[in-house]
Amino acid sequence: MSECFDVVVIGGGPAGATAAHELARLGRSVLLLDRAGRVKPCGGAIPPRLIKDFEIPDHLLVARATSARMVSPADVRVDIPIESGFVGMVDREVFDEWLRERAGVAGAVRRNGRFEKLERDAEGAALIHYRRRDAGEAERDDCVRARSVIGADGANSAVARQAVPGAERVRHVFAYHEIVRTPALVPAGYDGSRCDVYYRGELSPDFYGWVFPHGDTLSIGTGSADKGFSLRAATGTLRRAAGLEGAETVRREGAPLPMKPLRRWDNGRDIVLAGDAAGVVAPASGEGIYYAMVGGQLAAQAVEQLLVTGQGRALAQARKRFMKEHGTVFLVLGVMQRFWYVNDKRRERFVSICKDKDVQQMTFESYMNKKLTRKKPMQQVRIFFKDMAHLLGLARV
């Protein structure tokens, strides 16, 4: 007879590990199934709200970014200080494993394996078939029974494709980065406490390139939804532009990122999605860690409600609550990306807008607190008219 768990969490990234931790703390029997050795390409930025809400210890922060630099197609550089705070930078390989370990300490069973398919037993319960690999042993087939399932297995989620209607239609941006050693003699102008963002068509026709500090290493990468665009070649161009062409490459990583939240995250019965599987990567910025962890937390709360009440409709609360809190931000960022990232002329104007102190203050208040700030209505009026001037070509770049 198959092992039985209250919850099987498939995928051990920030969303899955957070969900497993939440449910294990509540006393639920949890299996956290993850493929060992996977590291997602990611700039590694986490805002103060994440650090506070999820109690992230200081030792996981490999750097603290206190400013951002935006670089236009014409090489105009706009430096934006992060006033009264910092953005934490993490190494995803270390950070994700710490989250999984925390789930394990809370009581979740951790297992190295690759999800293959979902079936039903005679009573209708979910049967999770996977390829299991224990330390020192050959890979083998295994199966567990689950009262509920959280699919947190990435943008190309097999759980979503098999269980949630419409999940197969999600569109993706493809991200690629190279982790390089921070050189002993850093290039002129380099600042290990600054995140550099490049808005240039040669680096991405619809996204951006980045150089983010990680202490002893750097993340250098780019992304695009254009499958014919060479991300690796563009990253090489970015390395030359940043003076880091000769830096030692530690590893190269690539993965798809979803472009918008799925319309549905659950099957109305016993399965709910979280993280990239649910499509919660912010447009324009590509930020995903915070939204993944919030999504994992909400998925766990919805599953707990399911287990208490036996009502499958409880799972819909995960998406409903997420979109109520963050849907407007995703909408605004999506519109911004579709308009400003379309060509270099508009990118030039976008970077020019970012010189404005009102824009800078509102942007970072919203980013740090994960809410569109509404405290200063006159500031928003000023920004509106400035944006209109740029849209109509009345402002000087």
Side-chain angles (χ1 to χ4, degrees):
M1 186 175 179
S2 299
E3 290 179 276
C4 185
F5 293 89
D6 289 328
V7 192
V8 173
V9 181
I10 300 171
T18 299
H21 178 244
E22 291 285 322
L23 286 159
R25 286 173 58 197
L26 294 173
R28 297 297 180 181
S29 59
V30 181
L31 172 63
L32 177 57
L33 182 65
D34 188 56
R35 288 186 294 161
R38 292 187 310 120
V39 183
K40 179 184 174 183
C42 176
I46 59 173
R49 183 171 173 182
L50 184 155
I51 296 170
K52 177 183 177 182
D53 288 358
F54 294 98
E55 300 178 342
I56 304 303
D58 285 348
H59 73 83
L60 290 177
L61 306 182
V62 294
R64 289 170 167 79
T66 56
S67 68
R69 168 172 286 179
M70 307 180 77
V71 184
S72 80
D75 207 36
V76 173
R77 302 178 177 215
V78 177
D79 287 350
I80 305 175
I82 302 173
E83 297 178 359
S84 304
F86 64 89
V87 174
M89 308 301 294
V90 297
D91 180 336
R92 286 293 300 274
E93 185 174 18
V94 176
F95 181 73
D96 289 14
E97 176 59 19
W98 184 85
L99 293 175
R100 291 188 288 267
E101 287 179 355
R102 180 163 70 171
V105 170
V109 175
R110 293 183 57 187
R111 199 163 288 169
N112 179 13
R114 183 180 73 254
F115 169 76
E116 295 211 317
K117 64 180 179 179
L118 183 148
E119 292 183 333
R120 299 283 174 181
D121 65 12
E123 298 176 359
L127 294 174
I128 306 301
H129 295 268
Y130 67 101
R131 294 286 290 172
R132 178 172 177 173
R133 172 166 285 178
D134 295 325
E137 296 184 12
E139 192 174 74
R140 60 187 174 88
D141 291 326
D142 203 353
C143 177
V144 295
R145 189 171 183 264
R147 295 178 62 195
S148 60
V149 179
I150 295 177
D153 50 334
N156 284 325
S157 168
V159 176
R161 291 196 306 273
Q162 292 184 34
V164 179
E168 70 282 355
R169 294 191 295 270
V170 67
R171 295 178 61 217
H172 299 101
V173 165
F174 292 86
Y176 170 83
H177 79 159
E178 297 176 359
I179 299 294
V180 306
R181 300 271 183 216
T182 303
L185 296 175
V186 297
Y190 172 78
D191 184 345
S193 63
R194 186 187 68 223
C195 293
D196 293 353
V197 184
Y198 289 73
Y199 296 96
R200 293 179 182 171
E202 65 175 345
L203 300 177
S204 173
D206 50 6
F207 203 55
Y208 62 79
W210 68 84
V211 179
F212 286 177
H214 285 181
D216 294 337
T217 61
L218 292 151
S219 167
I220 307 174
T222 185
S224 176
D226 183 348
K227 294 182 179 180
F229 185 77
S230 175
L231 297 176
R232 188 160 182 168
T235 299
T237 300
L238 178 55
R239 289 182 65 160
R240 289 190 291 274
L244 294 163
E245 183 178 15
E248 178 191 351
T249 302
V250 178
R251 64 178 187 267
R252 298 179 172 89
E253 298 157 349
L257 303 178
M259 294 183 68
K260 61 189 300 185
L262 272 63
R263 291 183 179 275
R264 185 170 179 177
W265 293 5
D266 68 279
N267 69 343
R269 180 178 180 176
D270 56 2
I271 298 171
V272 65
L273 306 176
D276 283 10
V280 294
V281 172
S285 69
E287 182 191 2
I289 301 176
Y290 172 77
Y291 296 114
M293 294 180 71
V294 169
Q297 186 178 60
L298 293 173
Q301 292 167 3
V303 164
E304 174 63 17
Q305 190 67 17
L306 164 70
L307 294 173
V308 169
T309 66
Q311 297 179 346
R313 66 175 181 268
L315 297 178
Q317 288 298 311
R319 187 184 191 280
K320 184 176 180 179
R321 292 174 62 194
F322 183 95
M323 297 305 290
K324 181 178 180 180
E325 181 73 13
H326 304 290
T328 302
V329 171
F330 274 61
L331 176 63
V332 170
L333 291 176
V335 171
M336 188 180 87
Q337 180 174 344
R338 287 191 296 273
F339 184 84
W340 290 114
Y341 292 11
V342 72
N343 58 46
D344 276 355
K345 182 178 180 180
R346 291 189 184 178
R347 292 185 189 100
E348 200 70 45
R349 289 194 173 277
F350 174 68
V351 173
S352 182
I353 289 173
C354 295
K355 295 177 183 177
D356 187 271
K357 296 301 181 184
D358 286 331
V359 172
Q360 293 180 12
Q361 184 177 8
M362 181 174 288
T363 298
F364 271 108
E365 282 183 5
S366 297
Y367 173 79
M368 304 283 263
N369 300 312
K370 288 294 161 245
K371 291 182 179 179
L372 289 176
T373 179
R374 297 180 176 86
K375 295 180 181 179
K376 302 175 181 177
M378 287 309 299
Q379 181 187 56
Q380 295 183 349
V381 170
R382 290 196 301 271
I383 290 172
F384 171 78
F385 283 109
K386 291 168 187 174
D387 284 352
M388 289 303 297
H390 279 275
L391 288 172
L392 297 172
L394 302 176
R396 299 175 67 180
V397 177

